[in-house]
Amino acid sequence: MNDVKRTLGTVGIWSMELRGAARPEVREAAAELDQLGFPALWIPGLDGPGALDDVEHLLVAAPRATVALGVLSMWGQDPTTLGSRWAALDSAYGPRAVLGLGVSNAHSAANAGQDYGKPTVSMRRFLDGLDAAPHPVPADRRLLGALGPKMVDLAAARTAGWHPFLVPPEYAAVQRARVGDEPLVAPHLAVVLDRDPGRARAAARDGIGTFIGFPAYRSNLARLGYGEEDLIPGGSDRLIDALVAWGDLDDVADRIQAHLDAGADHVTLHVLRPDAGTDLPRQQWRELATLLPHFTPRTPGTD
């Protein structure tokens, strides 16, 4: 098992609300997640402003947890500056941060004054710059936000693995058959703790429905057998039920296990709520923490 698999553990928390981590209530919540036993805290990097500051604040607040960026857009990032900042985090807090990188989209590239080009070529060039920096981010401490086979192959060759978004459990099985046991597969899993189908699916659509319309996600879901009747705005009930763990804790545990059985190493849980706002879903996190003892790391070769 590679080092990042050990440090991330089997189940982590993914949270947009943990961005802005300098706020007292966020620090308090991160400390509680650490005490509850979550081995990894994930935050979206988005286009970059403030992301590394938030990583640092979480490293301070949760001294036993790994903090992962899932994922930071490569556009607008300077590999030398990024490597130096990452080295400073390692020096101050130990090697507890994991860097997820993504190609985002052509709009993000244009905003940074760059040409999007071919995604894998652009990402390979960025990784080359990161490797050549005075303080390179070690390959075994970085991941890619990958979906399709070309980016997955690049992740397997140049990083510890990848962090796919908006995927059903069968995705991991398909990719494991291609790349083998070694690379980390750490899917994002949206969670709605509500047993009412109507409310749960509505909360899911509010939280992730927009992304179903993005070309990269549509293409990936189509490769997995979801047709135009599923890839409608907000997603069909069938698609939402495949992508989101909704129901009670047993239902969520079953879905986590399905991802692990299919070949995932680590599942990141993103709580969605009907009343979603800026408040932290601390009660839901406490409930999810009771599931932690039920899962053990995947054993390579047993998929």
Side-chain angles (χ1 to χ4, degrees):
M1 185 186 298
N2 63 30
D3 286 344
V4 74
K5 292 182 183 180
R6 281 192 290 268
T7 58
L8 288 175
T10 306
V11 178
I13 290 293
W14 192 103
S15 172
M16 180 74 74
E17 296 93 345
L18 287 177
R19 287 296 309 262
R23 291 182 294 156
E25 61 270 29
V26 175
R27 289 199 302 267
E28 182 181 298
E32 182 181 18
L33 288 168
D34 196 20
Q35 292 164 2
L36 287 170
F38 286 102
L41 307 182
W42 293 72
I43 56 173
L46 306 177
D47 285 341
L52 268 63
D53 291 335
D54 288 338
V55 167
E56 183 168 16
H57 290 306
L58 291 174
L59 289 169
V60 173
R64 293 174 297 183
T66 295
V67 178
L69 272 176
V71 294
L72 178 68
S73 172
M74 56 171 275
W75 306 109
Q77 306 299 320
D78 172 67
T80 296
T81 303
L82 182 58
S84 295
R85 182 71 190 278
W86 214 261
L89 293 175
D90 283 356
S91 178
Y93 309 106
R96 293 194 293 119
V98 174
L99 174 62
L101 293 166
V103 293
S104 192
N105 52 51
H107 180 70
S108 293
N111 282 345
Q114 300 186 53
D115 177 36
Y116 187 66
K118 294 183 177 179
T120 52
V121 173
S122 298
M123 179 57 77
R124 186 177 294 110
R125 185 182 305 118
F126 188 86
L127 293 174
D128 288 343
L130 204 55
D131 286 340
H135 299 283
V137 178
D140 63 359
R141 299 258 312 291
R142 62 195 190 200
L143 307 171
L144 296 187
L147 287 172
K150 291 182 180 179
M151 195 65 75
V152 165
D153 289 346
L154 181 60
R158 300 288 299 273
T159 77
W162 74 102
H163 174 50
F165 184 80
L166 218 64
V167 295
E170 60 264 30
Y171 171 85
V174 171
Q175 298 303 332
R176 279 286 177 220
R178 295 183 56 257
V179 303
D181 288 325
E182 183 58 26
L184 173 90
V185 183
H188 165 284
L189 176 62
V191 172
V192 182
L193 288 173
D194 192 327
R195 297 180 65 184
D196 180 86
R199 286 197 306 264
R201 289 171 180 148
R205 289 186 173 101
D206 285 345
I208 64 165
T210 300
F211 298 102
I212 292 170
F214 290 13
Y217 300 119
R218 290 179 63 86
S219 295
N220 186 58
L221 292 167
R223 282 192 294 268
L224 292 170
Y226 294 92
E228 289 300 319
E229 68 278 11
D230 296 305
L231 301 172
I232 59 177
S236 68
D237 285 353
R238 171 179 177 254
L239 181 58
I240 290 296
D241 292 350
L243 298 178
V244 179
W246 63 263
D248 59 20
L249 286 173
D250 287 340
D251 295 318
V252 174
D254 288 345
R255 183 59 60 86
I256 294 169
Q257 192 62 56
H259 278 277
L260 298 174
D261 289 346
D265 299 288
H266 175 86
V267 181
T268 72
L269 306 181
H270 177 196
V271 171
L272 302 176
R273 296 163 292 163
D275 57 345
T278 59
D279 290 342
L280 296 155
R282 295 180 66 173
Q283 181 55 42
Q284 290 89 341
W285 289 342
R286 292 172 190 136
E287 293 175 33
L288 291 170
T290 65
L291 299 178
L292 290 174
H294 297 282
F295 303 106
T296 56
R298 185 183 68 90
T299 301
T302 60
D303 305 331

